[in-house]
């Protein structure tokens, strides 16, 4: 049994979502050609390894832990294990800054980068606009069409937001039906113009529903805050 497995069985390692991200990152990060050639039989090998661990531990460690332990034991080079582990941790950290549904950055990401962006704008003597956008009528949309359709509306809106972003802009999901857009180099008039283009795209696009039909486009609301005018 590997040291990694022992660590994963410590009380602080109970978050299955994190473990899943780590396992996926281990599998994706490996650049070992020989390992890639063996991928076809990976599922069966992991199953056998899981059965072996179950007997050893006298309890089922689960697919994620068994996969990690199997992969760790397959790669004997400590330097490679360290590199894979670092890649896994980096992947887990990256995923923590993304919204699970839309794939956009989340609020935590905005809170991390905003102070640095403001400082950069101050040093360059440039404007920086933070815009908030919400989908009007989203609550009623959910009640009428269901939460699966609501999720579809958010995903659809995300695609339109990404397509309409000006160069250098970054978008994210604040939560619910609210999104944020960071617009470096945009003063208030420029920021409003950019968001009006984005809103027009959303307002004019019907929402595809899970059954293949379409619902009317949702309206949007916009709010802006600009540095340095609205804050220091």
């Amino acid at each position: 049994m590997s040291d990694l497995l022992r660590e994963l069985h410590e009380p602080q390692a109970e978050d299955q979502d994190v473990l899943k991200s780590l396992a996926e990152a281990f599998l994706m990060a490996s650049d070992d050609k020989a390992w890639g050639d063996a991928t076809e039989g990976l599922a069966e090998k992991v199953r056998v390894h899981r059965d072996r661990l179950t007997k050893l531990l006298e309890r089922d460690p689960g697919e994620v832990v068994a996969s990690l332990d199997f992969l760790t034991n397959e790669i004997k080079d400590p330097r490679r294990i360290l590199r894979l582990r670092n890649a896994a941790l980096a992947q887990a950290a990256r995923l923590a800054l993304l919204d699970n549904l839309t794939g956009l950055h989340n609020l935590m990401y905005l809170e991390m980068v905003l102070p640095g962006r403001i400082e950069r704008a101050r040093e360059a003597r440039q404007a920086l606009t933070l815009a908030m956008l919400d989908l009007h009528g989203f609550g009623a949309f959910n009640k009428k069409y269901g939460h699966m359709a609501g999720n579809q509306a958010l995903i659809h809106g995300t695609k339109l937001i990404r397509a309409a972003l000006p160069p250098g802009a970054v978008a994210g999901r604040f939560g619910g039906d609210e999104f944020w857009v960071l617009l470096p180099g945009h003063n208030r008039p420029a920021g409003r113009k950019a968001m009006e283009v984005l809103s027009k795209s959303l307002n004019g696009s019907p929402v595809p529903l899970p059954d293949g039909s379409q619902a009317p486009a949702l309206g949007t609301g916009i709010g802006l805050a600009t540095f340095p005018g609205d804050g220091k």
Side-chain angles (χ1 to χ4, degrees):
M1 184 170 61
S2 70
D3 291 338
L4 177 60
L5 181 62
R6 293 189 182 91
E7 289 183 24
L8 290 174
H9 277 80
E10 293 177 357
Q12 63 267 28
E14 296 175 352
D15 188 337
Q16 291 299 313
D17 290 336
V18 173
L19 290 179
K20 185 175 184 295
S21 297
L22 289 171
E24 291 173 349
F26 264 94
L27 293 173
M28 290 188 295
S30 177
D31 58 358
D32 190 330
K33 189 173 182 180
W35 176 256
D37 294 339
T39 302
E40 184 176 352
L42 176 60
E44 177 62 20
K45 291 179 180 179
V46 170
R47 187 191 66 76
V48 172
H49 190 69
R50 181 177 176 178
D51 290 342
R52 188 180 302 121
L53 288 175
T54 298
K55 293 178 181 178
L56 179 64
L57 299 169
E58 297 183 348
R59 59 190 173 92
D60 185 1
E63 183 179 13
V64 173
V65 173
S67 300
L68 279 168
D69 189 65
F70 174 76
L71 183 56
T72 303
N73 284 315
E74 283 292 308
I75 302 176
K76 305 301 182 182
D77 184 352
R79 292 170 298 179
R80 176 154 299 187
I81 293 174
L82 180 61
R83 187 164 68 250
L84 291 175
R85 186 167 187 168
N86 288 342
L89 293 173
Q91 175 75 348
R94 187 185 71 84
L95 292 175
L97 299 176
L98 296 178
D99 176 63
N100 289 336
L101 177 64
T102 64
L104 291 172
H105 294 297
N106 56 22
L107 178 59
M108 184 186 299
Y109 176 86
L110 177 63
E111 291 173 342
M112 287 180 59
V113 304
L114 186 57
R117 292 298 185 99
I118 291 175
E119 187 58 32
R120 190 184 306 174
R122 190 197 314 276
E123 292 175 354
R125 296 184 179 180
Q126 292 182 343
L128 173 69
T129 290
L130 173 63
M132 298 297 297
L133 178 147
D134 72 299
L135 302 178
H136 286 175
F138 184 72
F141 182 96
N142 265 341
K143 289 182 180 179
K144 182 175 182 178
Y145 297 104
H147 289 286
M148 290 295 293
N151 287 344
Q152 187 66 34
L154 293 172
I155 293 170
H156 176 65
T158 294
K159 292 178 181 178
L160 297 175
I161 289 171
R162 281 179 166 153
L165 284 178
V170 181
R173 185 181 176 200
F174 189 87
D177 64 340
E178 296 180 323
F179 298 84
W180 55 263
V181 180
L182 201 55
L183 297 158
H186 287 63
N187 57 22
R188 181 174 289 272
R192 180 164 295 280
K193 183 177 180 180
M195 292 305 296
E196 286 174 350
V197 171
L198 194 153
S199 290
K200 186 177 180 180
S201 176
L202 287 165
N203 296 342
S205 180
V207 179
L209 298 175
D211 63 3
S213 62
Q214 290 185 330
L218 292 170
T220 55
I222 299 172
L224 300 175
T226 302
F227 174 84
D230 296 320
K232 300 180 180 180

